Protein backbone atom coordinates (compact mmCIF):
# COMPACT_ATOMS: atom_id res chain seq x y z
CA UNK A 1 0.00 0.00 0.00
CA UNK A 2 1.22 3.53 -0.63
CA UNK A 3 1.08 6.15 2.16
CA UNK A 4 -2.20 7.67 0.94
CA UNK A 5 -3.91 4.28 0.90
CA UNK A 6 -2.56 3.39 4.35
CA UNK A 7 -3.93 6.63 5.82
CA UNK A 8 -7.33 6.17 4.12
CA UNK A 9 -7.60 2.55 5.28
CA UNK A 10 -6.59 3.47 8.83
CA UNK A 11 -9.45 5.96 9.00
CA UNK A 12 -11.91 3.29 7.87
CA UNK A 13 -10.65 0.30 9.87
CA UNK A 14 -9.08 1.61 13.08
CA UNK A 15 -10.87 3.38 15.93
CA UNK A 16 -9.89 7.02 15.79
CA UNK A 17 -8.34 7.35 19.25
CA UNK A 18 -5.07 8.91 18.09
CA UNK A 19 -4.30 12.27 16.49
CA UNK A 20 -1.66 11.02 14.09
CA UNK A 21 0.78 13.14 12.09
CA UNK A 22 0.18 12.53 8.40
CA UNK A 23 3.30 10.51 7.68
CA UNK A 24 3.74 6.76 7.45
CA UNK A 25 6.88 5.53 9.18
CA UNK A 26 8.43 2.53 7.51
CA UNK A 27 11.69 1.70 9.28
CA UNK A 28 14.33 3.08 11.61
CA UNK A 29 18.05 3.05 12.30
CA UNK A 30 19.60 4.39 15.48
CA UNK A 31 18.05 7.78 16.27
CA UNK A 32 16.46 8.09 12.82
CA UNK A 33 13.22 6.82 11.32
CA UNK A 34 12.34 6.80 7.63
CA UNK A 35 8.98 7.52 6.05
CA UNK A 36 7.52 5.27 3.38
CA UNK A 37 8.35 8.06 0.95
CA UNK A 38 12.02 7.71 1.94
CA UNK A 39 12.18 10.92 3.99
CA UNK A 40 14.51 10.78 6.99
CA UNK A 41 13.47 12.03 10.43
CA UNK A 42 15.61 12.55 13.51
CA UNK A 43 13.52 10.97 16.27
CA UNK A 44 13.62 12.95 19.50
CA UNK A 45 10.31 11.49 20.57
CA UNK A 46 11.82 8.01 20.77
CA UNK A 47 8.56 6.13 20.32
CA UNK A 48 7.27 7.90 23.46
CA UNK A 49 10.30 6.73 25.47
CA UNK A 50 10.02 3.15 24.25
CA UNK A 51 13.02 3.25 21.96
CA UNK A 52 15.77 3.22 24.56
CA UNK A 53 18.68 1.77 22.60
CA UNK A 54 17.76 2.97 19.12
CA UNK A 55 15.67 1.85 16.19
CA UNK A 56 16.63 -1.29 14.31
CA UNK A 57 18.87 -2.45 17.16
CA UNK A 58 20.88 -5.46 15.95
CA UNK A 59 21.20 -6.72 19.48
CA UNK A 60 17.44 -6.74 20.13
CA UNK A 61 16.65 -8.04 16.62
CA UNK A 62 19.01 -10.97 17.09
CA UNK A 63 17.66 -11.75 20.54
CA UNK A 64 14.05 -11.60 19.29
CA UNK A 65 14.79 -13.63 16.13
CA UNK A 66 16.66 -16.34 17.99
CA UNK A 67 13.98 -16.52 20.65
CA UNK A 68 11.15 -16.53 18.06
CA UNK A 69 12.73 -19.51 16.32
CA UNK A 70 13.10 -21.31 19.62
CA UNK A 71 9.95 -20.56 21.62
CA UNK A 72 7.59 -17.57 21.82
CA UNK A 73 5.19 -18.40 24.65
CA UNK A 74 4.17 -21.42 26.66
CA UNK A 75 2.19 -19.47 29.28
CA UNK A 76 3.14 -18.92 32.87
CA UNK A 77 2.09 -22.41 33.85
CA UNK A 78 5.63 -23.54 33.02
CA UNK A 79 9.06 -22.20 33.96
CA UNK A 80 11.01 -20.38 31.25
CA UNK A 81 14.58 -19.15 31.37
CA UNK A 82 14.41 -15.67 29.71
CA UNK A 83 11.79 -14.56 32.25
CA UNK A 84 13.85 -15.73 35.21
CA UNK A 85 17.02 -14.12 33.83
CA UNK A 86 15.15 -10.84 33.39
CA UNK A 87 13.64 -10.97 36.87
CA UNK A 88 17.10 -11.58 38.37
CA UNK A 89 18.49 -8.53 36.54
CA UNK A 90 15.59 -6.30 37.62
CA UNK A 91 15.77 -7.41 41.24
CA UNK A 92 19.48 -6.56 41.25
CA UNK A 93 19.04 -3.20 39.52
CA UNK A 94 16.08 -2.15 41.67
CA UNK A 95 17.33 -3.45 45.03
CA UNK A 96 13.79 -4.75 45.60
CA UNK A 97 12.31 -8.22 46.08
CA UNK A 98 10.16 -9.84 43.40
CA UNK A 99 8.70 -9.11 39.95
CA UNK A 100 5.31 -9.58 38.34
CA UNK A 101 5.40 -9.37 34.52
CA UNK A 102 2.67 -7.96 32.29
CA UNK A 103 2.50 -6.15 28.95
CA UNK A 104 2.19 -2.39 29.46
CA UNK A 105 2.54 0.50 31.86
CA UNK A 106 -1.15 0.63 32.72
CA UNK A 107 -1.15 -3.07 33.52
CA UNK A 108 1.94 -2.69 35.69
CA UNK A 109 0.09 -0.01 37.68
CA UNK A 110 -3.03 -2.20 37.92
CA UNK A 111 -0.88 -4.88 39.53
CA UNK A 112 0.67 -2.29 41.86
CA UNK A 113 -2.76 -1.08 43.01
CA UNK A 114 -3.98 -4.64 43.63
CA UNK A 115 -0.76 -5.51 45.43
CA UNK A 116 -1.04 -2.45 47.71
CA UNK A 117 -4.65 -3.27 48.59
CA UNK A 118 -3.83 -6.91 49.19
CA UNK A 119 -0.75 -6.25 51.28
CA UNK A 120 -2.25 -3.56 53.52
CA UNK A 121 -5.86 -4.79 53.64
CA UNK A 122 -6.80 -1.15 52.96
CA UNK A 123 -8.54 0.32 49.96
CA UNK A 124 -7.55 3.89 49.30
CA UNK A 125 -4.81 5.32 47.13
CA UNK A 126 -3.49 8.87 47.16
CA UNK A 127 -2.44 10.05 43.71
CA UNK A 128 -1.31 13.49 42.57
CA UNK A 129 -2.89 16.26 40.55
CA UNK A 130 -1.88 16.07 36.87
CA UNK A 131 -0.67 12.48 37.30
CA UNK A 132 -0.83 10.01 34.43
CA UNK A 133 -0.80 6.32 35.24
CA UNK A 134 -2.56 4.75 32.24
CA UNK A 135 -5.95 4.19 30.63
CA UNK A 136 -7.24 0.89 31.99
CA UNK A 137 -9.90 1.47 34.62
CA UNK A 138 -7.70 0.98 37.70
CA UNK A 139 -4.79 3.00 36.32
CA UNK A 140 -7.28 5.56 35.00
CA UNK A 141 -8.65 5.97 38.53
CA UNK A 142 -5.17 7.13 39.58
CA UNK A 143 -4.94 9.46 36.55
CA UNK A 144 -5.83 13.11 37.08
CA UNK A 145 -7.29 14.45 33.84
CA UNK A 146 -11.09 14.62 33.96
CA UNK A 147 -11.22 14.49 30.16
CA UNK A 148 -9.76 10.97 30.15
CA UNK A 149 -12.26 9.70 32.74
CA UNK A 150 -15.56 11.47 32.20
CA UNK A 151 -17.06 9.16 29.58
CA UNK A 152 -16.07 6.03 31.46
CA UNK A 153 -17.23 6.71 34.98
CA UNK A 154 -17.53 5.33 37.55
CA UNK A 155 -13.83 4.78 38.02
CA UNK A 156 -12.62 2.90 41.10
CA UNK A 157 -13.63 4.41 44.43
CA UNK A 158 -10.99 5.35 46.99
CA UNK A 159 -8.70 7.56 44.89
CA UNK A 160 -7.84 11.09 46.00
CA UNK A 161 -5.55 13.64 44.36
CA UNK A 162 -3.17 15.98 46.13
CA UNK A 163 -0.75 18.62 44.86
CA UNK A 164 2.39 17.15 43.31
CA UNK A 165 5.63 18.08 45.05
CA UNK A 166 3.76 18.71 48.30
CA UNK A 167 4.26 16.19 51.10
CA UNK A 168 2.13 18.22 53.50
CA UNK A 169 -0.84 17.88 51.13
CA UNK A 170 -0.27 14.12 51.11
CA UNK A 171 -0.15 14.11 54.92
CA UNK A 172 -3.46 15.96 55.07
CA UNK A 173 -5.11 13.47 52.73
CA UNK A 174 -4.39 10.26 54.61
CA UNK A 175 -7.14 8.40 56.41
CA UNK A 176 -7.28 5.05 58.18
CA UNK A 177 -8.22 3.57 54.78
CA UNK A 178 -5.08 4.74 52.95
CA UNK A 179 -3.10 1.85 51.49
CA UNK A 180 -0.59 3.67 49.30
CA UNK A 181 0.63 6.80 47.61
CA UNK A 182 1.29 6.50 43.87
CA UNK A 183 3.53 9.05 42.21
CA UNK A 184 5.75 9.63 39.15
CA UNK A 185 9.32 10.73 40.00
CA UNK A 186 8.88 13.25 37.17
CA UNK A 187 5.41 13.92 35.76
CA UNK A 188 5.81 13.13 32.07
CA UNK A 189 2.43 13.40 30.40
CA UNK A 190 1.62 16.63 32.18
CA UNK A 191 4.64 18.33 30.63
CA UNK A 192 7.86 17.18 32.36
CA UNK A 193 7.18 18.51 35.84
CA UNK A 194 10.26 18.11 38.03
CA UNK A 195 9.68 18.07 41.78
CA UNK A 196 12.08 19.49 44.39
CA UNK A 197 15.21 17.41 45.02
CA UNK A 198 13.93 16.36 48.47
CA UNK A 199 10.33 15.55 47.48
CA UNK A 200 10.71 11.80 47.08
CA UNK A 201 12.98 11.52 50.12
CA UNK A 202 10.43 13.32 52.30
CA UNK A 203 7.55 11.36 50.79
CA UNK A 204 9.32 8.08 51.46
CA UNK A 205 10.04 9.07 55.06
CA UNK A 206 6.45 10.12 55.58
CA UNK A 207 5.05 6.90 54.06
CA UNK A 208 7.34 4.84 56.28
CA UNK A 209 6.24 6.71 59.41
CA UNK A 210 2.57 6.29 58.55
CA UNK A 211 2.90 2.70 57.38
CA UNK A 212 1.66 3.53 53.90
CA UNK A 213 3.17 1.98 50.78
CA UNK A 214 5.01 4.17 48.30
CA UNK A 215 4.37 3.17 44.68
CA UNK A 216 6.67 4.85 42.17
CA UNK A 217 5.43 4.82 38.59
CA UNK A 218 8.66 4.69 36.60
CA UNK A 219 6.97 3.69 33.36
CA UNK A 220 8.42 6.79 31.70
CA UNK A 221 11.33 7.73 33.98
CA UNK A 222 12.69 4.18 34.26
CA UNK A 223 15.09 2.12 32.14
CA UNK A 224 17.97 4.62 32.43
CA UNK A 225 16.07 7.59 30.97
CA UNK A 226 16.99 10.09 33.70
CA UNK A 227 20.62 9.03 34.04
CA UNK A 228 20.10 6.17 36.53
CA UNK A 229 18.35 2.90 35.78
CA UNK A 230 15.50 3.96 38.11
CA UNK A 231 14.95 7.65 38.83
CA UNK A 232 14.64 6.90 42.58
CA UNK A 233 18.30 5.88 42.61
CA UNK A 234 19.15 9.60 42.34
CA UNK A 235 17.73 10.07 45.82
CA UNK A 236 19.08 7.04 47.61
CA UNK A 237 15.63 5.77 48.53
CA UNK A 238 13.69 2.62 47.71
CA UNK A 239 9.96 2.53 46.99
CA UNK A 240 7.79 -0.32 48.23
CA UNK A 241 6.59 -0.95 44.69
CA UNK A 242 7.92 0.31 41.36
CA UNK A 243 6.43 -0.07 37.90
CA UNK A 244 8.31 -0.12 34.59
CA UNK A 245 7.29 -0.54 30.94
CA UNK A 246 7.96 1.64 27.86
CA UNK A 247 11.71 1.40 27.17
CA UNK A 248 12.40 -1.85 28.96
CA UNK A 249 12.38 -4.03 25.83
CA UNK A 250 13.27 -1.31 23.30
CA UNK A 251 9.71 -1.12 21.97
CA UNK A 252 8.63 -4.74 22.38
CA UNK A 253 5.57 -4.70 24.70
CA UNK A 254 6.36 -5.45 28.33
CA UNK A 255 5.49 -4.19 31.78
CA UNK A 256 6.69 -5.16 35.22
CA UNK A 257 5.72 -4.47 38.81
CA UNK A 258 8.57 -4.94 41.27
CA UNK A 259 7.91 -5.02 45.01
CA UNK A 260 9.95 -5.06 48.16
CA UNK A 261 10.58 -8.45 49.79
CA UNK A 262 7.43 -9.42 51.69
CA UNK A 263 5.01 -7.58 49.40
CA UNK A 264 3.74 -10.38 47.23
CA UNK A 265 0.73 -11.95 45.55
CA UNK A 266 -0.54 -15.40 46.49
CA UNK A 267 -1.38 -18.03 43.89
CA UNK A 268 -4.21 -16.94 41.54
CA UNK A 269 -4.25 -13.38 42.93
CA UNK A 270 -3.12 -12.00 39.59
CA UNK A 271 -2.12 -13.32 36.16
CA UNK A 272 -1.36 -12.37 32.57
CA UNK A 273 -1.37 -14.78 29.63
CA UNK A 274 1.34 -12.93 27.76
CA UNK A 275 3.08 -11.40 30.78
CA UNK A 276 6.74 -12.34 30.82
CA UNK A 277 6.57 -14.18 27.49
CA UNK A 278 9.87 -15.38 26.10
CA UNK A 279 9.96 -12.94 23.22
CA UNK A 280 9.48 -9.79 25.33
CA UNK A 281 11.86 -11.05 27.99
CA UNK A 282 14.56 -11.84 25.41
CA UNK A 283 14.16 -8.30 24.04
CA UNK A 284 14.31 -6.80 27.55
CA UNK A 285 17.39 -8.85 28.47
CA UNK A 286 19.17 -7.65 25.32
CA UNK A 287 18.10 -4.05 25.99
CA UNK A 288 19.31 -4.05 29.60
CA UNK A 289 22.61 -5.72 28.65
CA UNK A 290 23.21 -3.08 25.98
CA UNK A 291 22.35 -0.22 28.35
CA UNK A 292 24.80 -1.53 30.95
CA UNK A 293 27.57 -2.48 28.46
CA UNK A 294 27.50 0.94 26.79
CA UNK A 295 26.80 2.81 30.02
CA UNK A 296 23.82 4.57 28.50
CA UNK A 297 22.88 5.91 31.94
CA UNK A 298 25.95 8.10 31.74
CA UNK A 299 25.20 9.05 28.14
CA UNK A 300 21.64 10.03 29.10
CA UNK A 301 22.96 12.29 31.86
CA UNK A 302 25.73 13.79 29.71
CA UNK A 303 23.72 14.40 26.55
CA UNK A 304 20.73 15.54 28.58
CA UNK A 305 22.83 18.19 30.32
CA UNK A 306 24.29 19.33 27.01
CA UNK A 307 20.89 19.52 25.36
CA UNK A 308 19.34 21.44 28.24
CA UNK A 309 22.25 23.90 28.27
CA UNK A 310 21.74 24.55 24.56
CA UNK A 311 17.96 24.76 24.94
CA UNK A 312 18.47 27.37 27.65
CA UNK A 313 20.61 29.34 25.19
CA UNK A 314 17.65 29.17 22.77
CA UNK A 315 15.42 30.40 25.59
CA UNK A 316 17.62 33.45 26.03
CA UNK A 317 17.29 34.23 22.31
CA UNK A 318 13.60 33.48 21.74
CA UNK A 319 10.77 35.01 23.75
CA UNK A 320 8.59 32.12 22.75
CA UNK A 321 10.54 29.78 25.07
CA UNK A 322 9.30 30.10 28.63
CA UNK A 323 11.14 27.36 30.50
CA UNK A 324 13.44 24.39 29.95
CA UNK A 325 13.22 21.52 32.43
CA UNK A 326 14.34 17.95 32.55
CA UNK A 327 16.55 15.23 33.92
CA UNK A 328 18.75 13.07 31.71
CA UNK A 329 17.00 12.53 28.41
CA UNK A 330 13.51 13.38 29.66
CA UNK A 331 13.22 17.02 28.72
CA UNK A 332 10.43 19.55 28.28
CA UNK A 333 10.51 22.99 26.73
CA UNK A 334 7.52 25.05 27.80
CA UNK A 335 6.55 27.67 25.26
CA UNK A 336 4.56 30.85 25.69
CA UNK A 337 2.27 29.58 22.93
CA UNK A 338 0.71 26.30 21.84
CA UNK A 339 3.35 23.91 20.56
CA UNK A 340 1.38 21.94 17.97
CA UNK A 341 2.42 24.18 15.08
CA UNK A 342 6.06 24.16 16.20
CA UNK A 343 6.04 20.36 16.37
CA UNK A 344 4.44 20.20 12.90
CA UNK A 345 7.04 22.57 11.45
CA UNK A 346 9.84 20.49 13.02
CA UNK A 347 8.28 17.42 11.37
CA UNK A 348 8.35 19.15 7.98
CA UNK A 349 12.05 19.81 8.54
CA UNK A 350 12.77 16.22 9.50
CA UNK A 351 12.61 16.33 13.30
CA UNK A 352 10.15 14.34 15.41
CA UNK A 353 9.25 15.99 18.71
CA UNK A 354 6.14 15.58 20.80
CA UNK A 355 3.80 18.31 21.92
CA UNK A 356 2.30 17.56 25.32
CA UNK A 357 0.05 19.59 27.63
CA UNK A 358 -0.60 22.05 24.79
CA UNK A 359 2.48 24.19 25.41
CA UNK A 360 5.32 21.78 26.15
CA UNK A 361 7.66 20.29 23.57
CA UNK A 362 8.71 16.95 24.99
CA UNK A 363 11.99 15.24 24.11
CA UNK A 364 12.49 11.54 24.91
CA UNK A 365 15.21 10.50 22.45
CA UNK A 366 16.91 7.11 22.31
CA UNK A 367 19.57 6.90 25.03
CA UNK A 368 22.27 6.34 22.40
CA UNK A 369 21.88 9.87 21.02
CA UNK A 370 25.06 11.82 20.28
CA UNK A 371 26.00 15.48 20.61
CA UNK A 372 26.12 15.69 16.81
CA UNK A 373 22.53 14.50 16.51
CA UNK A 374 21.40 16.89 19.24
CA UNK A 375 23.10 19.74 17.37
CA UNK A 376 21.13 18.82 14.23
CA UNK A 377 17.93 18.91 16.28
CA UNK A 378 18.87 22.25 17.86
CA UNK A 379 19.51 23.73 14.44
CA UNK A 380 16.11 22.67 13.15
CA UNK A 381 14.39 23.86 16.32
CA UNK A 382 16.16 27.20 16.23
CA UNK A 383 15.12 27.67 12.57
CA UNK A 384 11.51 26.87 13.41
CA UNK A 385 11.40 29.10 16.51
CA UNK A 386 12.97 31.89 14.48
C1 LIG B 1 4.05 7.49 33.94
C2 LIG B 1 3.21 6.62 33.06
N1 LIG B 1 2.52 5.61 33.61
C3 LIG B 1 1.77 4.79 32.87
C4 LIG B 1 1.66 4.94 31.51
C5 LIG B 1 0.81 4.01 30.71
O1 LIG B 1 1.61 3.14 29.98
P1 LIG B 1 0.99 2.28 28.79
O2 LIG B 1 0.60 3.23 27.72
O3 LIG B 1 2.10 1.35 28.40
O4 LIG B 1 -0.18 1.55 29.35
C6 LIG B 1 2.36 5.98 30.88
C7 LIG B 1 2.25 6.21 29.44
O5 LIG B 1 2.54 7.24 28.90
C8 LIG B 1 3.16 6.83 31.68
O6 LIG B 1 3.85 7.84 31.15
Amino acid sequence: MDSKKIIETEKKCIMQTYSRSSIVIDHGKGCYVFGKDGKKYLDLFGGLATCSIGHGSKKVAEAVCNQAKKLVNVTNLYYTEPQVILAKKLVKLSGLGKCFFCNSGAEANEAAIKLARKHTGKTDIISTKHAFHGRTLGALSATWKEKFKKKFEPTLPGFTFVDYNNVEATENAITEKTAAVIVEPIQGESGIIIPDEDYLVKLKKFCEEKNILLILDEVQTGTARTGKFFAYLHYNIKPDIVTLAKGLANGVPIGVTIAKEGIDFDKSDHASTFGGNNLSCAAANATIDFILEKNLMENAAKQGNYFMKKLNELKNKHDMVKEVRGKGLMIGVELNAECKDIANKCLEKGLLVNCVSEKVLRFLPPLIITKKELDIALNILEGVLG
Side-chain angles (χ1 to χ4, degrees):
M1 278 193 254
D2 64 17
S3 293
K4 192 165 165 256
K5 185 81 186 156
I6 291 171
I7 292 170
E8 274 170 22
T9 312
E10 190 271 352
K11 293 202 187 317
K12 277 193 212 135
C13 303
I14 296 182
M15 293 189 194
Q16 296 294 293
T17 57
Y18 303 105
S19 307
R20 303 185 202 256
S21 300
S22 56
I23 53 167
V24 178
I25 306 282
D26 185 65
H27 61 282
K29 186 94 211 104
C31 292
Y32 287 92
V33 291
F34 298 81
K36 229 176 152 41
D37 56 4
K39 196 168 169 193
K40 186 177 172 183
Y41 300 90
L42 178 56
D43 182 11
L44 263 65
F45 190 15
L48 226 174
T50 59
C51 183
S52 36
I53 66 168
H55 296 286
S57 157
K58 247 194 192 159
K59 185 119 189 176
V60 173
E62 266 170 30
V64 167
C65 279
N66 291 339
Q67 191 57 54
K69 284 185 215 157
K70 206 172 155 195
L71 186 69
V72 173
N73 194 23
V74 281
T75 85
N76 284 304
L77 298 181
Y78 303 92
Y79 294 97
T80 49
E81 194 175 6
Q83 188 182 115
V84 172
I85 291 174
L86 177 59
K88 197 172 166 206
K89 285 186 197 291
L90 290 171
V91 164
K92 188 168 175 213
L93 285 162
S94 64
L96 299 177
K98 289 194 179 117
C99 301
F100 177 85
F101 288 108
C102 55
N103 313 285
S104 68
E107 278 178 72
N109 287 330
E110 294 287 337
I113 293 164
K114 281 180 72 174
L115 204 47
R117 286 185 165 178
K118 188 238 160 190
H119 181 77
T120 60
K122 297 178 179 177
T123 49
D124 290 6
I125 310 279
I126 300 174
S127 183
T128 54
K129 292 180 185 170
H130 307 286
F132 185 84
H133 296 293
R135 308 279 196 144
T136 54
L137 273 171
L140 190 62
S141 309
T143 291
W144 164 252
K145 233 184 197 175
E146 228 12 75
K147 190 181 139 197
F148 294 158
K149 296 192 277 195
K150 213 167 170 48
K151 293 182 210 162
F152 312 104
E153 281 169 346
T155 51
L156 290 186
F159 284 74
T160 47
F161 295 86
V162 299
D163 285 340
Y164 188 63
N165 196 26
N166 187 337
V167 181
E168 210 178 297
T170 313
E171 263 179 86
N172 293 336
I174 65 158
T175 68
E176 72 284 356
K177 289 204 245 161
T178 308
V181 173
I182 184 167
V183 71
E184 298 157 84
I186 294 172
Q187 286 189 327
E189 294 305 298
S190 62
I192 314 290
I193 308 300
I194 317 265
D196 295 341
E197 272 301 298
D198 61 357
Y199 174 54
L200 288 184
V201 177
K202 282 187 180 162
L203 195 59
K204 168 71 190 166
K205 190 165 171 271
F206 161 74
C207 287
E208 240 169 37
E209 280 166 14
K210 300 287 173 191
N211 228 355
I212 293 169
L213 300 184
L214 176 64
I215 304 170
L216 289 185
D217 177 344
E218 293 237 22
V219 167
Q220 200 167 138
T221 52
T223 319
R225 176 132 309 267
T226 69
K228 300 260 184 203
F229 197 85
F230 293 91
Y232 65 77
L233 297 173
H234 289 287
Y235 310 107
N236 212 12
I237 56 154
K238 274 187 202 168
D240 297 290
I241 302 173
V242 66
T243 56
L244 270 189
K246 288 199 185 285
L248 183 58
N250 205 38
V252 178
I254 192 165
V256 61
T257 308
I258 317 170
K260 226 158 89 174
E261 203 59 68
I263 301 177
D264 205 343
F265 283 128
D266 297 324
K267 296 240 185 289
S268 309
D269 276 351
H270 203 47
S272 166
T273 299
F274 289 125
N277 70 80
N278 288 12
L279 210 59
S280 303
C281 290
N285 281 322
T287 304
I288 294 176
D289 290 348
F290 191 86
I291 288 172
L292 299 180
E293 259 165 52
K294 305 281 176 193
N295 201 356
L296 293 185
M297 269 96 79
E298 195 179 296
N299 195 56
K302 182 173 146 199
Q303 304 304 345
N305 283 340
Y306 173 73
F307 197 43
M308 273 194 284
K309 181 174 144 248
K310 289 289 180 182
L311 288 168
N312 270 309
E313 285 171 24
L314 280 190
K315 179 184 153 217
N316 294 337
K317 283 194 251 169
H318 297 277
D319 288 345
M320 194 191 259
V321 180
K322 185 176 171 197
E323 192 181 32
V324 177
R325 34 182 199 255
K327 201 168 184 73
L329 287 169
M330 184 167 178
I331 297 170
V333 174
E334 184 165 347
L335 303 179
N336 284 312
E338 291 204 359
C339 55
K340 214 165 133 206
D341 282 352
I342 301 285
N344 284 337
K345 282 188 183 135
C346 286
L347 177 83
E348 278 166 27
K349 296 195 180 303
L351 175 68
L352 302 189
V353 333
N354 167 241
C355 171
V356 73
S357 267
E358 277 110 54
K359 290 185 175 174
V360 181
L361 290 171
R362 179 171 51 165
F363 300 91
L364 301 162
L367 308 174
I368 53 166
I369 200 151
T370 60
K371 176 175 174 291
K372 199 170 151 201
E373 287 161 337
L374 290 173
D375 284 337
I376 295 170
L378 286 159
N379 241 332
I380 295 176
L381 193 60
E382 168 133 48
V384 168
L385 288 172

